[in-house]
Amino acid sequence: METTRALADNLAFNPLDPKDLVHTFGLYGVWAILFAETGLLVGFFFPGDSLLFLAGVAATPVADAIFGDGTKLSLAGLLIGAPLCAIAGAQLGHYLGARYGTRMFEKPDSKLFKREYVEKAEHYFQKFGPAKAVVLARFIPIVRTFLNPVAGVLGMPAKQFFVWNVVGAILWTDGIILIGYLLAGKIYDAIGTHIDRYILPFVALIVLISILPIIIEVVRDRRASKRAKEMAVIGVSPVAGIADAITGDDDDHRSHRGSHRAN
């Protein structure tokens, strides 16, 4: 009977469900997934943001009630181990990009890999500059996986990458973990054990807040571009008018000379 129940539990396990991941693999599973998502190109589909949020919830006294008996995680283990694994994974991605170059991305599109993922990472790298891109990419699913090797391919020095890798990893992992940890009690009082039904809105809000700097930067760039175009139009028109006036004066002057000679 117990064997049958265990088999049924294994069959019901969903590797893309952060709640199942936390309950099944615990602290070591969280570490491993963070490393895979940031260091291995095949790990981009892992639910990093929601996993961190639920890991924070799982470090509270309501963990067993929500996830099942024996699920409670160590908050210290999360706050120390999560950023370390995220840092190590990203550093590996950078190393692979620097070592193997564009060959890493020379593969046909498939369900798991699409060239547009790489192009999006390159766009952020070029648009925001190396330091800001490395930090902000942590909060953007898929981009945080592909930007690391892209940074290596584009020649970002390993030491410079490491500094901003550390900053981004700590802000991302510990920030979301602490949000989950601090809100766990209120969430449990409000919705009970059905946290998995509401995890997407919570994570969406967290991601939205996280990428606000990018949104602000994009709006600023568009406004600056619009102003530049307007200034170009305003600047060209007077010049063109002046040129026409000068040309017209020259034509009138020549015409006047011609008529004077004729007389």
Side-chain angles (χ1 to χ4, degrees):
M1 186 71 176
E2 291 184 0
T3 305
T4 304
R5 185 180 300 173
L7 179 61
D9 290 341
N10 288 332
L11 291 176
F13 170 72
N14 180 1
L16 300 182
D17 186 336
K19 188 175 178 181
D20 283 355
L21 289 169
V22 169
H23 177 67
T24 305
F25 298 109
L27 184 62
Y28 297 117
V30 174
W31 291 351
I33 290 167
L34 290 175
F35 177 83
E37 186 186 13
T38 55
L40 307 175
L41 294 183
V42 295
F44 71 88
F45 56 84
F46 282 123
D49 298 307
S50 52
L51 178 67
L52 288 168
F53 183 83
L54 285 181
V57 174
T60 68
V62 300
D64 290 346
I66 293 177
F67 300 98
D69 293 340
T71 305
K72 192 172 186 300
L73 305 181
S74 165
L75 180 61
L78 287 171
L79 294 178
I80 296 172
L84 287 177
C85 290
I87 291 167
Q91 209 66 34
L92 173 64
H94 177 275
Y95 168 77
L96 293 175
R99 181 175 179 83
Y100 297 106
T102 56
R103 286 179 293 169
M104 291 186 64
F105 310 127
E106 291 176 354
K107 55 178 71 175
D109 284 355
S110 65
K111 291 183 178 179
L112 291 180
F113 177 87
K114 295 186 183 300
R115 177 67 196 177
E116 66 182 86
Y117 299 157
V118 181
E119 292 172 352
K120 187 179 292 186
E122 290 176 342
H123 168 75
Y124 281 108
F125 192 89
Q126 300 287 359
K127 185 176 184 61
F128 298 108
K132 190 182 293 185
V134 171
V135 175
L136 294 178
R138 286 291 189 178
F139 299 92
I140 308 174
I142 297 179
V143 173
R144 64 171 158 259
T145 301
F146 287 91
L147 187 127
N148 304 318
V150 164
V153 171
L154 297 180
M156 184 176 184
K159 290 182 179 179
Q160 182 189 13
F161 179 84
F162 176 76
V163 171
W164 297 108
N165 177 22
V166 171
V167 173
I170 293 174
L171 290 175
W172 176 54
T173 58
D174 287 355
I176 298 181
I177 286 170
L178 287 173
I179 291 174
Y181 180 81
L182 296 173
L183 294 180
K186 295 180 180 179
I187 293 172
Y188 182 70
D189 292 340
I191 60 179
T193 61
H194 301 295
I195 190 172
D196 53 326
R197 298 180 185 177
Y198 301 90
I199 186 63
L200 287 180
F202 279 119
V203 173
L205 179 61
I206 293 169
V207 172
L208 178 61
I209 294 172
S210 303
I211 64 174
L212 273 179
I214 297 177
I215 297 174
I216 293 172
E217 195 79 23
V218 170
V219 172
R220 285 178 178 174
D221 284 349
R222 288 183 178 178
R223 287 180 178 176
S225 177
K226 186 177 180 180
R227 286 176 186 172
K229 289 180 181 178
E230 291 175 352
M231 291 300 294
V233 172
I234 294 171
V236 168
S237 297
V239 172
I242 293 170
D244 290 340
I246 293 173
T247 304
D249 290 343
D250 287 345
D251 290 342
D252 291 342
H253 189 60
R254 289 171 184 168
S255 176
H256 181 70
R257 282 184 177 178
S259 60
H260 181 72
R261 287 176 183 174
N263 292 331

